[in-house]
Amino acid sequence: MTSTESSNDLLTRFATQVKAVDGRFASITNLSEAQEYMLKLIKSKNVKRIVSVSKELASKLFPPSIQLCNLEIISKESLPRDEFFKAVEAADVGISPVDAAVAETGTLVILTSDESDRLVTALPEIHVAIVPRSKIVSSLREVEPLITEMLTHTKSGATVSLISASSRTADIGDKTILGMHGPKELHVLVLDEELL
């Protein structure tokens, strides 16, 4: 995935698009900033349960040194599949990595071959997407080879999720309702590569 734009230009354009659709955006330069962001989110939203598709990602955001009363952090690896599905349904926040981020639209591209990974992005009221800075590209066209490779080489089937904002509808009385068919809030954290 290459682009003629500089990394900073791509980041700025991507941030502008995410914010334009009421997404929350933060560019993170060190792990303590990411941890601080998550702690503020937990306190402001009274979060009780977080699910993550990766135990490693969860442990970086919530190391044992951080004291979190009454907060349950569950990763996919920590529970049998059926129990993890139930945990996702009852979670306040879902945390997932992102395979690509498109600057021109603010779209997150998440490729999954396991349904539980996709549900982490869709069922909790808040979705926190972790984007490696190097995965920001200029246009969706630059993501086509990644998608093609995933769909070609995954024998058990694959899902390509394109997420550009929190779920919304205006079907009833032309009034916009957030979170009708998915998360009410989307938080996008762009992290420098060495933090992941």
Side-chain angles (χ1 to χ4, degrees):
M1 290 184 275
T2 59
S3 174
T4 57
E5 288 180 89
S6 75
S7 175
N8 287 338
D9 289 342
L10 286 172
L11 180 66
T12 300
R13 203 153 60 106
F14 177 65
T16 299
Q17 292 301 323
V18 169
K19 293 174 187 175
V21 290
D22 296 326
R24 279 68 167 189
F25 176 88
S27 179
I28 306 293
T29 58
N30 61 60
L31 214 42
S32 65
E33 284 180 18
Q35 293 162 354
E36 184 179 318
Y37 187 97
M38 291 306 299
L39 288 175
K40 284 181 182 175
L41 177 63
I42 289 164
K43 289 177 183 174
S44 69
K45 301 295 181 179
N46 196 27
V47 173
K48 300 294 183 209
R49 178 179 283 176
I50 294 175
V51 290
S52 173
V53 299
S54 162
K55 185 176 184 177
E56 182 181 355
L57 182 58
S59 66
K60 285 184 178 182
L61 293 173
F62 307 102
S65 60
I66 295 178
Q67 299 297 318
L68 301 165
C69 292
N70 301 320
L71 179 67
E72 188 177 11
I73 301 169
I74 302 167
S75 64
K76 184 171 79 170
E77 300 96 338
S78 66
L79 291 176
R81 185 176 176 82
D82 290 347
E83 288 180 40
F84 185 70
F85 278 135
K86 290 177 187 172
V88 171
E89 289 176 347
D92 302 304
V93 175
I95 300 173
S96 71
V98 171
D99 296 293
V102 182
E104 73 180 351
T105 59
T107 301
L108 305 173
V109 180
I110 301 175
L111 308 172
T112 56
S113 58
D114 184 336
E115 184 68 7
S116 60
D117 291 352
R118 191 183 70 74
L119 294 178
V120 166
T121 72
L123 292 182
E125 286 200 8
I126 300 170
H127 175 208
V128 177
I130 307 296
V131 181
R133 187 176 174 133
S134 65
K135 302 277 184 164
I136 302 175
V137 298
S138 180
S139 69
L140 194 56
R141 185 170 306 282
E142 293 177 59
V143 183
E144 286 178 21
L146 177 68
I147 294 171
T148 300
E149 182 179 335
M150 171 75 169
L151 294 176
T152 304
H153 293 95
T154 305
K155 294 177 183 171
S156 61
T159 301
V160 178
S161 298
L162 303 174
I163 301 169
S164 295
S166 57
S167 163
R168 62 187 69 216
T169 185
D171 290 345
I172 304 167
D174 292 328
K175 182 180 176 188
T176 301
I177 300 170
L178 295 177
M180 189 68 164
H181 307 289
K184 290 181 179 178
E185 291 183 17
L186 174 62
H187 293 251
V188 179
L189 307 186
V190 176
L191 275 67
D192 290 346
E193 205 68 29
E194 63 270 9
L195 301 180
L196 297 173

